[in-house]
Amino acid sequence: MLILSIASVSFVFLIGIGLYWRAAPLFEEQTLLSLFSASEWAPSKGQFGFYPFIMGTLWVTLIAIVVALPLCLLTAIYLTEYAKPGVRSVILPLVNILAGIPPVIYGVWGIFFVVPIVREYIAPQFTDYSSGYTVFTGGVVLAVMIFPILVSIVSEVLRTIPKELKDASLSLGATKWETIKKVVLKRALSGIVAATVLAVSRAFGETIAVLMVCGNVPIAPTSVFDGGYPLPALIANNFGEMMSIPLYDSALMFAALLLFVIIFLFNLVSRIVLHRVESKYSAS
Amino acid sequence: MTQHPLIRVRDLNVHIGGHHILKHININIPDKSVTSIIGPSGCGKTTLLKTFNRLLDDTAEVRVTGSVLVDEEDIYASGAEVTHIRKKMGLLSQRPYPLPMSIYDNVAYGPRIHGIRKKTDLDDIVEKQLKDTGLWEEVKDRLHTSAAKLSIGQQQRLCLARGLAVEPEIILGDESTSALDPISTHKIEDLFVRLKEQYTIVLVTHILRQARRISDYIVFVYMGEIVEFGPTEELLLNPKEELTKQYVKGFIS
Amino acid sequence: MSIKKRKAEETVFKVLMVGACTVVSSSLFLIVGTIVIKGLPYLTWDMVSKAPQGGFYIGKEGGVLNAIIGSLYLAGGATILGLLVSIPISIYLNIYLKSGSLLNKSAKLAYDVLFGIPSIVYGAFAFSIMIWLGVRASLLGGVIAVTLLIIPILVRTLDEVITTVPKELKHAALSLGATRWEAAKVILRQIKPGIYTAILLAFGRGIGDVASVLFTAGFSDNIPKYLDEPAATLPLAIFFQLGSPIPEVQGRAYASALILTVIILAIVVASHFLAAKQTKHKI
């Protein structure tokens, strides 16, 4: 059992090293900087610019968080502070079911529900033409996918806040909302940060659902109604043919390595942040 | 006991989840004095205290009937403004719960809520309340550090200062010294005695000696009912009711 | 601010909250509703009882039984393999190790990271191992990739369940002279329903994931008989059929999506039932 545990810890490094090893041939050709900044993607000519894909990933993730975070915060606050226990015990499990729905189902839903709405109703307000397959669409689908993470963790965090602390604020004449805004949310900040980081890392790596709705155009998006091409989609779409072109597999492994490193750093940073925030306000 | 009653409770009943927690409570709590509510644990004394500033409102399945008049205003009347009622009362809970912010912001929290924005005004309030609670000398150099860094005793005095900063008329203490060491307890008790010049103080306690040390009046609650109410010495030394006698002697606890 | 304004602010936010809550909780119905409306007209008995026949992909006879069975094999195999690895690990981390030790801390961080790693990365990693070992895309490859994916889920869920076991129980077992292994057995018995929940969670994840099996499991119209044969999976079948220009084939994608949704919802209901049972028997 000791060996298994140690093996599982070293497995993290094994994945990192394995991916690096496979991606290494690419570094002999190009510097890291040029890989990040170049926007030309032409595998047959040996050009591998990751800029459009990195931007695609960032846009989709950012949109997902911007859409999901306010909705989920409000929902979690409502469920824990205002809603009757009966309402809460119905809605929380419902939201949690979303976590079990497979990505491909989200993709199908995105194609038949979100894409037409974006194409017919939302995009025309801002731009001349949009196919509906945009980074915005991808972001919305992703937002729904991260609802359960955000709602369940934030509700859990809000529930742990002592009633006496809220009473202290209420008895000073604050309204319930003022208490939530100034005391509860402040106290819950570390938990909210943790939930957001988890949600972001989920959004970062989501592949199929996003691939199905965001257009897969290898150009860095300039508006939310442009198509985009996130890193995971790049890997998924091209893995089959990579063997025939030199360095192609290294480039795709590099994309996987990039995702891995980002997730790793996110977890590390969030741990440190959480630790800091907690030690600052926890009761002595 | 000719003092003017500030809080008047008329036929108050509280049900929580089908249990009759408080039964037909009638009492007048005198102004500018310390009144202790005593009784065995689970008798409803904390619930009674919480009805005074409507902190039961958020408890699930709670039903309150009857009336509580503060300054002749029924706080359970349908038009009563709950934030206004609560502003009149400072609450000191069992354990100190400093808000997750600095010492300064803790005291300034209430005044800010009620619309005081000017820095100099807030500075004055913070300084005055911290001086009144004897904290000023201990914390004046670190007003902007987290309140959680203070000792428990200091935190409790900070909570008192925070409550006083909204200029209440009444201070409600819910076993406010039960988490404190003897020295901190002593400090809080002294404060109560000093503060009764300006405030009406209602304390819940299960320590008879504490009730005796600091209160002018005692209410003895048993099984959700008021058994006896009277001036401290009279009730402790010469109780009228058999139940009170037994409790004072330590037969019921 | 006057009390009126303060109250108004609260009312505004309350309205926003109810709105947000409605949006969030209705999204499940939107998704399931869309799938049902799209899929139901195409759902036939053939879909679930037959493997693809000749000309299936241009709209002729057949069903997706190959993919259903493939998915069940894959998720089932991965869950069993995953349990064999994750139960000892979570027992070891929680019962043998002191909670502050370096290995414990780094293991918790490692599992957070592993939990967060996208399934496409697991797929890519498993694929490179397969190339290295000379294994072609097959049921075995898929099982390995999915196992990697669900081990962190299992470990984390088991970890949570074990921490709900009262410490006293462990101490009581140990103080009666039980060895750590015997104490572990006591705890295992205590968390049995929790293990079932973890299994369902992992199985659900395994059956629904595409990215990890995209390159590792291959795709086949036959129901796999051996581990080294390529196997179709339901999500992948949906994905491929959806890309077809032929309406019948697309329709089958919707019907397959409906089948997958029904399987997932059945798992959810089952785990909910188990969770309810678990709380009932808790000491």
Side-chain angles (χ1 to χ4, degrees), chain A residues 107-126:
Chain A
V108 175
W109 173 69
I111 290 174
F112 293 111
F113 191 84
V114 188
V115 168
I117 289 181
V118 170
R119 183 176 54 220
E120 306 293 333
Y121 302 105
I122 301 178
Q125 312 282 335
F126 302 96

Side-chain angles (χ1 to χ4, degrees), chain B:
Chain B
M1 56 182 292
T2 50
Q3 264 161 316
H4 165 75
L6 185 70
I7 306 176
R8 288 197 254 210
V9 182
R10 292 285 167 269
D11 197 30
L12 180 79
N13 284 283
V14 176
H15 295 258
I16 300 178
H19 297 280
H20 202 170
I21 305 291
L22 290 178
K23 300 163 192 165
H24 308 290
I25 303 289
N26 283 292
I27 193 174
N28 291 334
I29 294 191
D31 199 5
K32 305 278 185 286
S33 55
V34 178
T35 304
S36 289
I37 305 174
I38 61 168
S41 43
C43 71
K45 43 186 201 303
T46 297
T47 310
L48 179 59
L49 193 76
K50 286 187 172 176
T51 56
F52 294 165
N53 70 346
R54 287 189 47 179
L55 268 183
L56 291 178
D57 288 14
D58 280 336
T59 314
E61 297 177 58
V62 73
R63 193 158 57 85
V64 180
T65 59
S67 61
V68 176
L69 292 123
V70 177
D71 280 342
E72 310 297 323
E73 180 198 354
D74 183 4
I75 64 170
Y76 282 95
S78 57
E81 174 49 57
V82 69
T83 55
H84 175 68
I85 292 157
R86 287 180 182 150
K87 184 175 175 282
K88 281 190 190 169
M89 305 185 209
L91 174 75
L92 206 54
S93 53
Q94 282 196 8
R95 282 185 46 213
Y97 280 92
L99 302 173
M101 46 189 84
S102 71
I103 296 169
Y104 182 98
D105 289 339
N106 259 277
V107 183
Y109 180 84
R112 278 184 180 139
I113 290 268
H114 297 291
I116 298 175
R117 298 270 160 216
K118 252 174 79 183
K119 177 95 171 56
T120 49
D121 290 351
L122 289 171
D123 286 349
D124 289 347
I125 292 172
V126 171
E127 186 173 342
K128 176 180 184 298
Q129 298 309 340
L130 288 177
K131 277 183 173 158
D132 278 4
T133 48
L135 264 177
W136 180 252
E137 289 304 318
E138 296 164 44
V139 302
K140 66 179 177 191
D141 300 324
R142 44 174 176 150
L143 286 176
H144 296 281
T145 58
S146 165
K149 298 265 191 291
L150 296 173
S151 74
I152 296 278
Q154 287 172 322
Q155 285 184 17
Q156 192 65 308
R157 279 184 286 152
L158 177 68
C159 291
L160 185 56
R162 179 181 70 193
L164 296 180
V166 293
E167 298 172 348
E169 296 169 34
I170 302 163
I171 299 170
L172 306 173
D174 182 8
E175 301 193 14
S176 311
T177 59
S178 59
L180 306 183
D181 59 276
I183 293 173
S184 303
T185 302
H186 190 67
K187 281 184 184 165
I188 296 275
E189 286 181 2
D190 277 356
L191 275 170
F192 282 147
V193 173
R194 204 144 46 76
L195 289 168
K196 74 173 180 184
E197 308 280 313
Q198 306 159 50
Y199 304 94
T200 301
I201 301 176
V202 186
L203 304 174
V204 162
T205 180
H206 64 274
I207 309 166
L208 269 179
R209 273 174 298 133
Q210 183 174 56
R212 186 170 192 169
R213 273 198 299 270
I214 59 175
S215 52
D216 303 304
Y217 301 93
I218 290 184
V219 185
F220 174 53
V221 182
Y222 188 71
M223 306 277 275
E225 285 176 279
I226 290 183
V227 178
E228 196 168 346
F229 169 62
T232 301
E233 293 297 310
E234 214 176 296
L235 187 134
L236 290 181
L237 298 177
N238 202 4
K240 292 190 188 70
E241 302 288 329
E242 184 58 26
L243 269 171
T244 319
K245 212 175 281 173
Q246 289 190 4
Y247 183 73
V248 170
K249 283 182 181 162
F251 292 141
I252 323 171
S253 60

Side-chain angles (χ1 to χ4, degrees), chain A residues 66-240:
Chain A
V66 169
V67 172
L69 194 57
L71 279 175
C72 293
L73 274 184
L74 287 169
T75 302
I77 294 170
Y78 179 72
L79 290 179
T80 45
E81 304 289 339
Y82 288 96
K84 294 203 176 74
V87 176
R88 181 165 56 229
S89 65
V90 170
I91 290 186
L92 267 183
L94 269 186
V95 175
N96 280 330
I97 295 176
L98 282 176
I101 303 275
V104 73
I105 300 295
Y106 279 97
V108 175
W109 173 69
I111 290 174
F112 293 111
F113 191 84
V114 188
V115 168
I117 289 181
V118 170
R119 183 176 54 220
E120 306 293 333
Y121 302 105
I122 301 178
Q125 312 282 335
F126 302 96
T127 174
D128 291 342
Y129 170 78
S130 171
S131 63
Y133 290 87
T134 63
V135 283
F136 180 73
T137 318
V140 170
V141 172
L142 264 185
V144 179
M145 293 182 85
I146 59 178
F147 278 172
I149 302 181
L150 287 172
V151 172
S152 63
I153 302 182
V154 175
S155 315
E156 201 61 45
V157 170
L158 293 181
R159 241 202 306 260
T160 61
I161 291 174
K163 189 177 182 307
E164 288 81 354
L165 188 67
K166 294 182 234 171
D167 282 355
S169 166
L170 290 175
S171 62
L172 292 168
T175 62
K176 203 164 176 180
W177 170 245
E178 284 162 340
T179 301
I180 291 164
K181 192 170 65 173
K182 296 183 175 171
V183 176
V184 173
L185 286 183
K186 205 158 182 183
R187 177 72 178 258
L189 189 67
S190 61
I192 294 170
V193 170
T196 310
V197 168
L198 254 179
V200 167
S201 46
R202 174 83 200 273
F204 241 92
E206 182 41 49
T207 312
I208 294 299
V210 182
L211 178 155
M212 288 164 78
V213 296
C214 76
N216 302 328
V217 192
I219 300 167
T222 52
S223 112
V224 293
F225 298 112
D226 282 348
Y229 207 156
L231 283 167
L234 171 74
I235 307 173
N237 265 343
N238 299 294
F239 225 77

Side-chain angles (χ1 to χ4, degrees), chain A residues 2 5 8 11 75 82 100 102 105 109 112 173 175-178 181 205 207-208 212 239 243 253 260 271, chain C residues 6 9-10 13-14 17 20 34 92 111-112 117-118 120 124 127-128 131 148 208 210 215 242 254 257 261 264:
Chain A
L2 173 67
S5 302
S8 63
F11 191 64
T75 302
Y82 288 96
I105 300 295
W109 173 69
F112 293 111
T175 62
K176 203 164 176 180
W177 170 245
E178 284 162 340
K181 192 170 65 173
T207 312
I208 294 299
M212 288 164 78
F239 225 77
M243 286 325 207
M253 284 302 177
F260 171 79
R271 286 242 156 177
Chain C
R6 291 165 57 201
E9 186 186 325
E10 175 151 35
F13 273 94
K14 258 190 189 165
M17 280 178 212
T34 307
Y92 185 79
Y111 276 101
D112 276 359
I117 289 180
I120 186 86
F127 184 66
S128 6
I131 292 178
L148 294 182
V210 185
F215 333 113
L242 208 57
Y254 314 152
T261 309
I264 293 291

Side-chain angles (χ1 to χ4, degrees), chain C residues 206-217:
Chain C
I207 208 167
D209 197 70
V210 185
S212 59
V213 296
L214 198 51
F215 333 113
T216 50

